[in-house]
Amino acid sequence: MSDGASVKPSAAASRTAGPARSGRSSTLQWLLQNVVWFWLFGLVVIFGVFNPYFFTINNMQNIMVQATVLGLLALAISLPLLVAEIDLSIASNMGFSSVIGALTLNYGVPWWGGALVGILAGAVVGLFNGLCVTRLRMVSLIETLAMMIILQGALLAITEGNTIANMPDEYTWIGQATIGTWPIMPLVFVVCLAAEAIILRRTVLGRSIYAVGGNAAASTAAGIRVDRIKIIAFVLSGLLAGIAGYMLAAWQMAITSNQGEGFLLYSIAAPIIGGVSVFGGRGSVVGILGGVLLLTTIQAGLAVVSFPSFYVPMIGGLMIFVAVAIDAIRVRMSAGR
């Protein structure tokens, strides 16, 4: 009887501790998945305390406009990440596609035709990357690194080191237009954000993207055409880079010979900080939005409080390091369940 009495409380305690540990693990995972919003809230409060100008409408509008191009690139790079690949040529593709679109205007093409050609040029680059990764079995990290260098060289060669600024007003209209005092350019980012959310959450293609990134071998066994899904992800990514290129050209009303440089680091950082896993198969557009707003708020906030700008890249790199570490913890916790 004594043995039985000693076993029963232990078993009961184990049954009680099991759900309790599971509950704590789920809570911790939720906190790690949404940590970007806590960072964002904390930074907004800190910047607002140091300088009340941070909360003004003008500053909010400035943050929205700056977030547009970065947000489009973050959406673009998230798609290869979700299928467990990476595209380092995204920022260079943005600059290259924008100059291709602008050059077509010199041949009598209407402004909308030039914009469309530029966006399609970005998609073609994405298609080429996808074919190289899937058909030639090239490592995406190296293949897109080579493509990045090629596109940077092509942009420099096409512009001959000059700045293209003689674009018609219709071509740059969307980058300058406002409704009242509010710029309309951020609406493009919102539309693309909603479209990617619908694709990922409401379509077979979206579910296949998550499945391929989560486990390519299991997806193949389930009948999913893995190579096709990866190619589509790269094409959509290039398409978004083309849209970002047109938006940046319309906003700046110019295309420089190094257009897009400086965006690569932050376009990779934003989705990772927002919870998109570098191992594929995990992430959401809500998290990407949080990552984009966080990085844009840091840049705008540090400028408002007169913080030396040369510290910004270091802070961005530190945040990427922390985000990747958190992602590794999330993956390890999921595997340990």
Side-chain angles (χ1 to χ4, degrees):
M1 289 181 67
S2 60
D3 289 342
S6 65
V7 168
K8 286 179 181 177
S10 176
S14 177
R15 285 195 297 271
T16 305
R21 280 196 298 269
S22 177
R24 286 195 295 271
S25 176
S26 299
T27 302
L28 181 57
Q29 285 224 15
W30 183 87
L31 288 173
L32 292 175
Q33 191 70 34
N34 296 280
V35 68
V36 62
W37 298 106
F38 296 102
W39 289 3
L40 181 60
F41 178 77
L43 286 174
V44 167
V45 171
I46 291 172
F47 288 139
V49 168
F50 275 97
N51 191 337
Y53 173 78
F54 185 81
F55 290 121
T56 62
I57 291 178
N58 284 339
N59 191 49
M60 294 297 112
Q61 291 172 343
N62 180 43
I63 290 176
M64 289 171 58
V65 171
Q66 289 188 38
T68 300
V69 175
L70 176 61
L72 289 168
L73 287 180
L75 289 174
I77 209 160
S78 69
L79 291 165
L81 285 175
L82 285 173
V83 295
E85 302 288 353
I86 192 167
D87 188 349
L88 297 180
S89 67
I90 283 294
S92 301
N93 191 4
M94 176 178 71
F96 174 76
S97 59
S98 66
V99 77
I100 292 297
L103 286 179
T104 59
L105 301 176
N106 296 332
Y107 297 93
V109 177
W111 72 267
W112 57 266
L116 184 61
V117 168
I119 293 170
L120 291 178
V124 170
V125 173
L127 173 63
F128 184 80
N129 285 335
L131 290 174
C132 289
V133 170
T134 57
R135 305 304 183 195
L136 300 180
R137 301 300 175 193
M138 297 176 70
V139 178
S140 59
L141 178 70
I142 306 301
E143 190 277 332
T144 57
L145 176 64
M147 180 58 67
M148 178 185 76
I149 298 171
I150 292 170
L151 294 177
Q152 286 176 344
L155 177 60
L156 184 61
I158 293 172
T159 60
E160 298 181 339
N162 300 313
T163 297
I164 298 176
N166 57 341
M167 294 176 286
D169 292 341
E170 294 86 353
Y171 192 77
T172 59
W173 172 82
I174 196 167
Q176 313 300 320
T178 59
I179 299 177
T181 59
W182 290 90
I184 67 171
M185 198 173 80
L187 291 177
V188 177
F189 172 48
V190 174
V191 170
C192 292
L193 191 78
E196 185 165 319
I198 292 172
I199 290 174
L200 291 178
R201 291 296 179 185
R202 302 291 182 186
T203 68
V204 175
L205 172 63
R207 289 190 288 274
S208 299
I209 287 174
Y210 281 112
V212 169
N215 191 324
S219 299
T220 302
I224 297 175
R225 302 178 69 172
V226 172
D227 285 354
R228 173 180 289 187
I229 296 300
K230 287 189 176 184
I231 291 172
I232 293 174
F234 273 99
V235 171
L236 292 177
S237 177
L239 190 72
L240 285 167
I243 297 173
Y246 173 53
M247 289 297 114
L248 183 59
W251 179 34
Q252 294 183 339
M253 302 176 71
I255 299 172
T256 63
S257 59
N258 61 350
Q259 189 92 328
E261 285 187 15
F263 277 92
L264 178 61
L265 171 67
Y266 297 102
S267 63
I268 294 175
I272 295 175
I273 292 171
V276 176
S277 175
V278 294
F279 302 101
R282 186 182 291 107
S284 69
V285 293
V286 176
I288 296 170
L289 174 63
V292 170
L293 291 178
L294 180 65
L295 291 177
T296 310
T297 298
I298 289 174
Q299 291 179 319
L302 292 178
V304 166
V305 299
S306 301
F307 197 81
S309 59
F310 40 79
Y311 284 109
V312 175
M314 183 183 71
I315 294 173
L318 180 63
M319 295 189 67
I320 295 174
F321 179 86
V322 174
V324 172
I326 291 175
D327 182 46
I329 295 172
R330 281 197 300 257
V331 171
R332 191 175 63 183
M333 290 181 65
S334 299
R337 276 188 160 184

